[in-house]
Amino acid sequence: MLEIKNLSARYDAVISALEKLDFEVPEGRIVAVLGPNGAGKSTLLKAVAGMLPFEQGEICEGRVIFDRLLLNGKHPATITRRGIALVQDGRQCFRNLTVGENLKAASFQTPKGNAERLKLVLAYFPILEEFFDRPAGLMSGGQLQMLVIGMALMLQPKLLMLDEPSLGLSPVMVQAVFEVVERLHRDLGMSVVVAEQTVPRLMEIAHDIYVLSRGRLALHAPPHDVSQERLHDLYLS
Ligand code: ATP
């Protein structure tokens, strides 16, 4: 479904963030992208979503292909309409708007079928129904994470990409977030890419693991071949 070949990316024309990376997401798979701070995980997701130019970044080599379409140089709105949704870190939403207004704003690019999608999102995240008419800014970190994933689902993506969704969450909330990821995959057959530093629960649900280190691929293996000790060694090296 997503095929990345020989991808190199940089910021400000000189800061190399990814080097000759090969990466694949087959349809209906959960793929984990792991690595320490600065490994290039966010850059990889932003390169796929067409977001690099907004940070003076660029793809300087290689190809990103999704559903047989070359994504290099495409605008994020075009990429979104093709079926890719990126939930960036930082839980970005309109904090002064209500939860309902945020969900509506999120589906601006894909207004068709809005009502059914809203029903689905509220079924997945009952907390969003509870907060529906209240400002998003009143929600906790975990609840906001549910909101931004819900906003991404309003786009009806074929591929959902989550950047460090567990950041700053309690273990119970982390568990809840990954349960949702597993359900999306199980019930809707959605492909999901999750970037994290390391989360044992993600290791349990992922079909495939990529470990990045300083912008390069350090390891690509099925989860049963990636022990915490191996990850630890890779991160320290
Ligand atoms: P973290 O887990 O800390 O979020 P990461 O694995 O997501 O890290 P990236 O954010 O992709 O890593 O960063 C990869 C490299 O690119 C780092 O060296 C970082 O300093 C650099 N970088 C990231 N964003 C920018 C930017 N907007 N401008 C310049 N350099 C950047």
Side-chain angles (χ1 to χ4, degrees):
M1 181 180 234
L2 178 71
E3 193 184 8
I4 291 180
K5 285 263 173 240
N6 203 36
L7 182 73
S8 299
R10 62 188 177 191
Y11 294 96
D12 300 318
V14 287
I15 303 167
S16 171
L18 289 177
E19 283 280 338
K20 300 185 179 299
L21 187 73
D22 290 341
F23 178 80
E24 254 182 37
V25 184
E27 196 161 351
R29 290 290 170 128
I30 300 175
V31 176
V33 181
L34 306 178
N37 288 119
K41 306 180 295 292
S42 302
T43 304
L44 171 62
L45 304 193
K46 286 176 195 167
V48 174
M51 301 296 283
L52 289 179
F54 300 104
E55 297 184 31
Q56 282 70 53
E58 61 179 339
I59 292 175
C60 45
E61 193 183 4
R63 289 179 304 156
V64 180
I65 297 167
F66 178 70
D67 255 357
R68 291 180 294 280
L69 178 78
L70 183 68
L71 298 187
N72 298 47
K74 294 267 185 300
H75 191 274
T78 309
I79 295 172
T80 300
R81 281 195 293 269
R82 284 298 288 209
I84 296 180
L86 168 62
V87 178
Q88 298 206 53
D89 54 3
R91 300 177 188 131
Q92 296 174 8
C93 61
F94 302 103
R95 309 262 166 142
N96 294 330
L97 298 187
T98 65
V99 165
E101 287 164 342
N102 269 285
L103 292 170
K104 195 171 173 195
S107 59
F108 176 70
Q109 294 287 343
T110 50
K112 230 171 125 204
N114 214 336
E116 295 89 80
R117 283 206 302 282
L118 183 61
K119 238 188 249 169
L120 179 96
V121 167
L122 296 180
Y124 270 90
F125 304 108
I127 188 71
L128 300 185
E129 187 140 39
E130 222 173 280
F131 274 81
F132 199 79
D133 295 318
R134 293 157 71 185
L138 296 181
M139 299 179 103
S140 72
Q143 291 163 343
L144 277 174
Q145 188 61 53
M146 301 299 182
L147 173 59
V148 291
I149 296 176
M151 289 167 72
L153 294 183
M154 289 300 288
L155 297 163
Q156 208 173 15
K158 296 180 200 158
L159 172 65
L160 175 67
M161 302 192 296
L162 306 175
D163 195 358
E164 297 208 48
S166 76
L167 201 69
L169 298 189
S170 68
V172 174
M173 282 316 296
V174 172
Q175 202 72 4
V177 166
F178 286 104
E179 250 158 50
V180 166
V181 169
E182 202 178 9
R183 278 182 62 200
L184 289 173
H185 159 258
R186 198 180 52 225
D187 303 349
L188 308 177
M190 196 174 284
S191 309
V192 189
V193 176
V194 188
E196 282 285 0
Q197 300 222 358
T198 166
V199 176
R201 182 78 186 107
L202 174 60
M203 309 285 279
E204 286 167 21
I205 62 171
H207 300 105
D208 213 2
I209 292 184
Y210 287 79
V211 183
L212 304 187
S213 173
R214 296 177 180 219
R216 290 178 179 272
L217 183 61
L219 177 70
H220 172 208
H224 56 81
D225 280 355
V226 187
S227 64
Q228 288 295 326
E229 292 73 36
R230 196 163 176 200
L231 274 182
H232 191 246
D233 289 348
L234 280 171
Y235 282 23
L236 287 180
S237 69

